[in-house]
Amino acid sequence: MAMLGKEVRMSRLVNPKSKKMMAITVDHAISRGIAPMTGLHQIQDTIDKIIVGRPDAMTMTKGIAEHCMWKHAGDVAMLMKVSNYSPVAPTKDTVFGTVDEAIRMGADAVSMGAMTLGDFQGEQFETIGKFSEECMRKGMPLIGHVYPKGESVPMDKRTSWENIAYCVRSACELGMDIVKTTYTGDPDSMAKVVACVPSTFRIVIQGGDSCKTLDDYLQMTREAMDCGVGGVTMGRFVWDYKDVTALVIALRYIIHEGYSVKEAKELLAQLENDKNYEEF
Ligand SMILES: O=C(CO)COP(=O)(O)O
């Protein structure tokens, strides 16, 4: 029974045609500080704009879900983030939520973070191991936000394929179902990462750390989808964009409809102009 529950929930996260997952995340404020996350200040408004663009799922903490998701109940899969790091302790995630809460709130997955290759890897992995056992028992998918940002990793090695592969493989070994991590920067090295886990294990990418321009962002998304990455869980670039809904739709067309960067940019320009979001 529990295994069926997991399958049912996983199916809500993934587009049946493309088999990719498109999630937008709004969980950053606790980790990174509220002041710099200007796109999240008006949190209800930002969530509303994202949902008009119809992503498959949204990642958030329980408190924001309780306040902001009543009017969207059932419109989008909810991924319940149960841990976060802090602006003054960025190498350690602390757990503040439970699997039972996520189930009670109608979530389709539990999501938790870990920073590898640092002083706190051991305790974070220990926690993940316990959650993966409980999630399996209760039919709940477990998603990791796993990055090589521990104390031993220099800044210029945070996207090396070896370190990203280590994160991805660790998440798989700890019993997670999906891992969200950073794109390595090019499709050949990302394909090496993808090859380091069984094909049934889903890798999705974040966006905010790696891209400066819209072109880079769309290009990264296209390349990632083409080299075996199973989707995205994107945040900052999306909700910092001037037309949040239009960008969610343009990304959805890259991820699910196979759009090229050029086609996505044309669609984005059209949407920004006519605001005719419902048609897409
Ligand atoms: O780091 C993240 C928070 O979970 C993910 O998203 P971005 O990098 O796209 O902002």
Side-chain angles (χ1 to χ4, degrees), residues 6-63:
K6 200 182 234 192
E7 190 64 24
V8 168
R9 291 188 171 97
M10 286 286 264
S11 75
R12 296 195 191 115
L13 311 181
V14 175
N15 179 285
K17 196 170 83 181
S18 70
K19 310 278 185 240
K20 307 277 190 195
M21 164 177 139
M22 179 184 177
I24 305 294
T25 176
V26 293
D27 73 313
H28 305 53
I30 302 181
S31 303
R32 294 175 177 271
I34 184 65
M37 301 293 118
T38 50
L40 297 182
H41 289 188
Q42 306 294 319
I43 185 70
Q44 181 75 64
D45 184 52
T46 298
I47 289 175
D48 295 350
K49 286 177 179 158
I50 291 166
I51 290 176
V52 174
R54 290 193 281 123
D56 301 308
M58 282 199 70
T59 306
M60 64 189 72
T61 52
K62 57 184 171 183

Side-chain angles (χ1 to χ4, degrees), residues 24-28 31-32 37 59 81 84-85 111 145 147 149 180-182 205-210 217 220 233-239:
I24 305 294
T25 176
V26 293
D27 73 313
H28 305 53
S31 303
R32 294 175 177 271
M37 301 293 118
T59 306
K81 189 85 191 291
N84 273 80
Y85 54 92
S111 170
H145 295 204
Y147 307 109
K149 292 185 180 172
K180 169 197 175 190
T181 193
T182 310
I205 54 162
Q206 65 160 165
D209 277 342
S210 5
Y217 203 76
M220 172 187 72
T233 301
M234 289 172 159
R236 283 164 286 170
F237 199 93
V238 173
W239 38 255

Side-chain angles (χ1 to χ4, degrees), residues 129-173:
K130 289 185 178 134
F131 266 76
S132 72
E133 187 279 326
E134 188 180 351
C135 282
M136 177 64 87
R137 194 160 25 87
K138 295 178 176 172
M140 188 61 123
L142 182 62
I143 303 178
H145 295 204
V146 187
Y147 307 109
K149 292 185 180 172
E151 285 78 0
S152 79
V153 184
M155 282 300 277
D156 65 345
K157 292 287 179 220
R158 286 183 171 189
T159 58
S160 79
W161 86 264
E162 294 91 336
N163 285 337
I164 298 299
Y166 181 76
C167 291
V168 163
R169 180 59 175 264
S170 297
C172 182
E173 300 214 18

Side-chain angles (χ1 to χ4, degrees), residues 17 26 53 68 71 86 93 108-109 111 117 133 154 164 190 192 202 212 219-220 223 227 248 251 266 273 277:
K17 196 170 83 181
V26 293
C68 301
K71 67 194 227 193
S86 99
D93 259 58
D108 292 295
S111 170
L117 302 166
E133 187 279 326
I164 298 299
M190 198 66 198
K192 286 204 247 180
R202 183 175 297 273
K212 302 272 180 289
Q219 181 66 32
M220 172 187 72
E223 283 176 8
C227 73
V248 171
L251 286 166
E266 284 165 8
N273 183 49
Y277 308 129

Side-chain angles (χ1 to χ4, degrees), residues 10 19 172 177 193-203 228-230:
M10 286 286 264
K19 310 278 185 240
C172 182
D177 300 287
V193 171
V194 172
C196 287
V197 283
S199 58
T200 44
F201 185 75
R202 183 175 297 273
I203 302 170
V229 167

